[in-house]
Amino acid sequence: MPLNDAARRAESRRIALSSFVGSAIEFYDFLLYGAAASLVFNELFFTDLNPLAGTVAAFGTLAVGYVARPLGGIVFGHFGDRVGRKSMLVLTMTLMALASFAIGLLPTYDTIGIWAPLLLVACRLVQGIAVGGEWGGAALMAMEHASTERRGLMASFANMGGPAGAVLATAVFAAFSALPEDDFLAWGWRVPFLLSLLLMAIGLFIRMKVSESPVFAEAQRRAEREATEQKAAKQEAPLLTVLRRYRKNIVLSCLGGCAALVLQSLLATFMLTYATGVGFERSTVLLAQTVSSALHIFTIPAFAILSDRVGRRPVMITGALVTAAAAFPLFALVNSGSVALLFAAYIIGNPILQASMYGPMAAFVSEMFGTRARYTGASLGYQLASTLGAGTAPLIASSLLAGAGGGTNSAPVSIYVIGVCLISAAAIALTRESHRADITDGVSTPPRTRAPRNGVPRAAPGGPR
């Protein structure tokens, strides 16, 4: 039964809440690992290495989760495009919580030797697969329930879950890191991971109450009619559709999203190690990260709203170029040794620079694909960006820093950030604007021409050039 306007608005609010809370819980689990990798895992799971090598190894296990994310996007995207968005979101949340709970129970290297890091890697792989399937479904559920002029805002609720999860993860981890060092290393670090089961129960309660995406439901009905009329026995797999029709979109969405995800990962993980190495107290850095992440929750939808009005491309390209210009100054603020300037670096980096690229990203990526392959295409594009950008950033940055002699010689890391930002800006510039494109027709772009002007057809927005 069609919903009236009031019921539709109420359902849209429930979907937005579900997208936000579900993503926040998923990213709590996923980003909690980053904090632990920065501060704990090198001492507990890589005790046979020197401190710097242990940190690099811990960041290597962090990267494993990002490498697994595209696989999660493909697997859950396939069934999300075939069966539905909602059921996949329930499954990804359950899988993530169980993997995080298992990390909280793992014995350390001193107890079982090499099996400790191997089991840690296995749990991280499961986390990566789960979060790889989560983002696409959460973004699409919100976006496909929204009107055209609010798609950016609604899709951004999935991205808002990232900093919300970071706030929760950092706050919980910081609370337990205040324990005496021996207690923290013995059992305190485990409690935040064990809390995942409680958060899963809350998230599942919310997610079970929302309806399936109306855009997906209509696409399914249309596909069934077409199959009946054409007597088709088999529908093409979503991944094959993406690889056949949207190869360029995958490349552009991946490269276009890299800058935002590199900056996100560096601030969430690498900067913890770097700032404590400069001389800041661990609790001070965690507080700065928590404050910036809390502000981030509000600036992500602000930039998404701006992209609904002026377009995805101008907002994201400007953000990438300004971030490139700020790469050296951000590290200079941290290197100053001033607590106030450390907070300034985090607040400029996360709620302003990163949000300007990340806020519009969910809609930017999702609008590149048709309904029948959107879960797969959007998930694959975003998760490849996450793997290439966020997954490797801490490892690359820590290796560059080690190669430069450590300390405060952050110039190679700044140059790395600048290069990534320029690549992302160029990739975004190669796409067409899509914030007014029709996403309900089963094709990623609106009709190929718009109304003629002086007898000459004009190119439609949406999709790559």
Side-chain angles (χ1 to χ4, degrees):
M1 176 182 291
L3 299 175
N4 58 37
D5 289 343
R8 189 176 296 110
R9 285 193 296 270
E11 178 66 5
S12 182
R13 287 192 293 269
R14 282 194 295 272
I15 293 295
L17 176 64
S18 170
S19 180
F20 171 71
V21 173
S23 292
I25 293 171
E26 290 265 357
F27 279 98
Y28 164 84
D29 290 321
F30 196 75
L31 297 175
L32 185 65
Y33 189 103
S38 298
L39 302 173
V40 175
F41 288 164
N42 60 328
E43 298 183 45
L44 298 178
F45 291 90
F46 302 97
T47 54
D48 58 336
L49 301 176
N50 67 60
L52 184 57
T55 298
V56 172
F59 283 147
T61 67
L62 178 71
V64 166
Y66 287 94
V67 171
R69 286 172 69 161
L71 175 60
I74 292 172
V75 173
F76 288 102
H78 174 87
F79 291 103
D81 283 324
R82 284 287 183 86
V83 179
R85 305 352 184 171
K86 178 180 173 179
S87 57
M88 294 303 104
L89 289 175
V90 170
L91 186 55
T92 58
M93 179 173 288
T94 303
L95 195 62
M96 173 64 84
L98 293 177
S100 297
F101 187 79
I103 290 174
L105 298 176
L106 284 181
T108 63
Y109 188 93
D110 289 341
T111 303
I112 61 171
I114 191 63
W115 283 103
L118 292 178
L119 290 173
L120 183 66
V121 168
C123 291
R124 185 59 176 171
L125 278 170
V126 176
Q127 279 192 325
I129 291 171
V131 81
E134 160 70 24
W135 181 88
L140 297 191
M141 279 287 282
M143 189 185 80
E144 291 178 345
H145 275 83
S147 58
T148 299
E149 63 275 9
R150 299 180 74 234
R151 285 202 307 254
L153 170 62
M154 293 297 290
S156 74
F157 276 88
N159 283 357
M160 289 163 62
V167 169
L168 185 59
T170 305
V172 172
F173 204 76
F176 283 94
S177 69
L179 291 167
E181 187 75 9
D182 289 343
D183 290 340
F184 178 62
L185 292 176
W187 60 268
W189 70 271
R190 298 179 181 276
V191 179
F193 288 97
L194 299 178
L195 290 174
S196 298
L197 288 188
L198 174 61
L199 295 176
M200 179 191 73
I202 296 171
L204 290 180
F205 175 78
I206 295 173
R207 282 202 161 157
M208 295 300 291
K209 292 183 174 294
V210 300
S211 62
E212 182 57 85
S213 158
V215 174
F216 171 78
E218 175 57 32
Q220 284 293 88
R221 287 191 290 269
R222 185 167 54 248
E224 290 171 2
R225 288 196 301 268
E226 291 174 356
T228 301
E229 293 169 359
Q230 299 171 9
K231 296 183 179 179
K234 188 175 182 180
Q235 186 178 353
E236 184 178 56
L239 179 60
L240 294 179
T241 301
V242 168
L243 296 178
R244 183 172 57 86
R245 299 182 58 187
Y246 302 113
R247 290 189 300 272
K248 187 175 181 180
N249 300 47
I250 288 290
V251 174
L252 293 178
S253 60
C254 170
L255 295 179
C258 272
L261 294 167
V262 162
L263 186 59
Q264 177 192 70
S265 185
L266 290 180
L267 291 170
T269 55
F270 171 76
M271 195 60 78
L272 283 173
T273 302
Y274 182 82
T276 53
V278 169
F280 290 102
E281 293 292 330
R282 180 171 60 193
S283 58
T284 301
V285 183
L286 289 171
L287 179 60
Q289 187 181 93
T290 302
V291 170
S292 70
S293 295
L295 295 173
H296 206 190
I297 298 170
F298 301 98
T299 56
I300 283 176
F303 282 106
I305 291 171
L306 181 61
S307 79
D308 277 332
R309 295 180 178 178
V310 304
R312 321 291 184 217
R313 295 170 71 249
V315 177
M316 295 178 70
I317 291 173
T318 301
L321 295 178
V322 174
T323 300
F328 276 95
L330 281 177
F331 277 99
L333 291 174
V334 179
N335 292 338
S336 70
S338 165
V339 172
L341 294 181
L342 173 71
F343 273 74
Y346 265 100
I347 290 172
I348 293 170
N350 251 340
I352 299 175
L353 298 179
Q354 203 274 345
S356 66
M357 299 178 284
Y358 197 54
M361 187 186 296
F364 168 77
V365 173
S366 300
E367 288 165 351
M368 288 187 172
F369 303 94
T371 303
R372 298 180 194 177
R374 185 172 293 132
Y375 199 143
T376 301
S379 294
L380 188 56
Y382 180 89
Q383 300 307 339
L384 285 173
S386 182
T387 300
L388 184 62
T392 60
L395 185 60
I396 290 173
S398 58
S399 299
L400 289 172
L401 187 66
T408 60
N409 188 7
S410 58
V413 182
S414 296
I415 294 171
Y416 162 59
V417 171
I418 291 171
V420 172
C421 287
L422 294 180
I423 291 172
S424 285
I428 296 166
L430 291 174
T431 67
R432 287 180 180 163
E433 188 52 64
S434 60
H435 73 302
R436 290 291 182 262
D438 180 13
I439 67 166
T440 64
D441 59 0
V443 183
S444 67
T445 61
R448 292 193 177 275
T449 59
R450 288 153 57 188
R453 180 172 57 190
N454 298 327
V456 180
R458 291 182 289 164
R465 283 179 178 161

